[in-house]
Amino acid sequence: MSELDLRDASALSQAVRSGTHSAESVARAALAAIEANAGLNAFLSVEPEPVLARARALDAELASGAKTLGSLFGVPVALKANLCLEGQELNCGSRLLSGYRPPYTATVVERLLEAGAIPIAATNMDEFAMGSSGENSAFGATLNPWAHEYTPGGSSSGSAVAVAAGITPLALGSDTGGSVRQPAALCGVSGFKPTYGRVSRYGLVAFGSSLDQVSPFANSVRDLELVSSVVSGRDRMDATSLDLPPIQSAERDDLSGLRVGLPDEAFDDGLADGVRERVEASLELLRSLGAVTVPVSLPHSAYAVATYYVVATAEASSNLARFDGVRFGRREEGDGSLAGMMAATRRAGFGDEVKRRILLGTHVLSSGYYEAWYGRAQRVRTLILEDYRRAFEACDVIVCPTSPTTAFRLGERTADPVAMYLSDVLTVPANLAGLPALSTPCGTASSNGGPELPVGLQWIGPAKGDEALLAVARCFQDRTDFHEAIPPQSRESSPS
Ligand code: GLN
């Protein structure tokens, strides 16, 4: 590899280890790509000095003849602005945390560092990860590199765009209700939410703790496997972390005999025509590769969005109580009393969507309403989980679209929170059930004469079946070329 290609993590790491490129030249190329794509608003804060210092330290390690170089040696990884890297600004897309610098590093970021990666903070996001379009960021929306008047999806908007625009080969985001899979689908990249508990949440700013999972973006499933093998595995700093070894790539040579479950509920009238066509074409391809498709039923998925917005907001109202002007970020004095200071800080610091969720979450947990809302939502959550357990008796993997539509126009859904919430109808069930799920590109479609935009294919597996799920998706990807499509509006600006 002579040209610097910032789209392939495995090849890039190989090139740095073999001395074809220095880590510093790779870091400089990524920083230049951030500059060249500044108009996409994918990054909130980038501090070049620590990035270059890190790269030089890696070059020194290589020059000293170090024997064991990590599997991500010299690879730049963009971090969503809710993942802690000691001393680097982390604002969660919120004015409330503007200028906040965490005193410690998230476990996933520690593991990236141990593997030789070059973390680059911090990518743009919906405020506190609440949103499906990036438009809830206090620092302006991120643009979709396929067509700038369209949203890249959210809430991990900047991380998805960093990978789609060829700025970094890998990025981390967080997926609470689809915030990695949905923007991956809308930007034409691959994104993977592991089984709940396989990746540590220590150092991820909490939104809905029983749903949140740190999740990577890459241009291929192969690279998702590579980064997952680094960041996953037990962590004693996270009490919900599963006692399982890191995710490793599993062998799988073909798809013959694979039972692919198709949930009726995910193929109903709500699907845009172009999305349906692309997904059905991929199902045809799966069959031609030897898979058999079987109908499965997830009858409670009709309640998934409602259940999610009770559980997630309840947890958010509790998690966000810590932002009170005392411990983190910004402070407004208000009337000078303690309560007045807290109220003024939260009034000025939080945006409308965050306030809406805190109100909703506080309501569903309040005395007299708790059983009717929160208690009931928890019971429906169990029913959703049981639907999947039954479905996986009949199939090995469930396949459906990731998002019912392709990317929508900026501003199109901002006035209607419910329309925005319905963007997640196909992704939230996997979070409620804690299951591993990924989105991979499956072609492009145009709606109403608009531009060709990516469509995502979603793969959902049984709990703890991360390795087998990734192997199936990789096998499909190795036999197709959907993941090689590059967004037209980032072609000229990517450095070589
Ligand atoms: N879009 C969903 C929400 O707004 C999911 C967010 C996420 O996964 N962080 O809550």
Side-chain angles (χ1 to χ4, degrees), residues 208-343:
S209 310
S210 75
L211 304 154
D212 297 341
Q213 199 63 187
V214 176
S215 307
F217 293 94
N219 285 300
S220 67
V221 178
R222 226 166 257 287
D223 276 354
L224 286 178
E225 291 178 317
L226 176 65
V227 62
S228 298
S229 71
V230 169
V231 299
S232 62
R234 168 125 183 93
D235 176 23
R236 62 179 186 83
M237 301 303 282
D238 174 357
T240 60
S241 153
L242 290 171
D243 194 5
L244 287 175
I247 294 168
Q248 296 298 339
S249 39
E251 283 313 311
R252 176 153 206 137
D253 294 330
D254 62 36
L255 297 173
S256 58
L258 179 79
R259 297 171 306 160
V260 174
L262 306 179
D264 303 341
E265 298 79 3
F267 288 88
D268 69 9
D269 306 340
L271 282 191
D273 291 345
V275 171
R276 183 185 302 278
E277 279 163 26
R278 298 307 349 134
V279 170
E280 282 178 354
S282 281
L283 295 176
E284 212 34 71
L285 264 168
L286 275 168
R287 286 186 205 103
S288 71
L289 293 169
V292 285
T293 49
V294 293
V296 294
S297 175
L298 303 169
H300 296 94
S301 47
Y303 308 106
V305 169
T307 305
Y308 170 81
Y309 278 95
V310 173
V311 174
T313 58
E315 294 182 11
S317 72
S318 166
N319 277 325
L320 270 59
R322 62 170 63 84
F323 300 111
D324 55 6
V326 177
R327 288 164 292 179
F328 309 97
R330 167 175 182 162
R331 171 181 298 182
E332 295 290 328
E333 295 304 336
D335 65 9
S337 69
L338 180 62
M341 181 279 287
M342 289 179 176

Side-chain angles (χ1 to χ4, degrees), residues 9 43 75-80 83 112 120 123 156-164 168-174 180 189-192 214-219 223-224 227:
F43 283 79
V75 177
V77 184
L79 302 178
K80 187 175 182 177
L83 285 163
L112 289 177
I120 302 185
T123 61
S156 311
S157 325
S159 288
V161 171
V163 173
T168 57
L170 297 172
L172 294 186
S174 61
V180 164
V189 298
S190 299
F192 169 53
V214 176
S215 307
F217 293 94
N219 285 300
D223 276 354
L224 286 178
V227 62

Side-chain angles (χ1 to χ4, degrees), residues 13 20 37 95 114 116 147 158 165 200 235 362 369-370 383 399:
S13 176
T20 312
N37 290 286
R95 294 201 189 288
E114 280 161 25
S200 168
D235 176 23
T362 307
Y369 296 96
Y370 180 97
L383 294 174
V399 173

Side-chain angles (χ1 to χ4, degrees), residues 80 82 125-126 128-133 136 154-156 174-182 207-208 211-212 308-309 312-313 353 357 420-421 423-424 427-428 431:
K80 187 175 182 177
N82 59 357
M125 59 183 281
D126 283 298
F128 287 103
M130 298 174 184
S132 308
S133 69
N136 294 333
S155 64
S156 311
S174 61
D175 192 312
T176 304
S179 279
V180 164
R181 286 162 290 152
Q182 185 253 17
F207 161 17
L211 304 154
D212 297 341
Y308 170 81
Y309 278 95
T313 58
E353 182 61 23
R357 305 237 183 155
M420 190 68 92
Y421 294 175
S423 315
D424 307 320
T427 48
V428 295
N431 298 79

Side-chain angles (χ1 to χ4, degrees), residues 438-449:
L438 79 154
S439 179
T440 61
C442 69
T444 59
S446 147
S447 66
N448 305 325

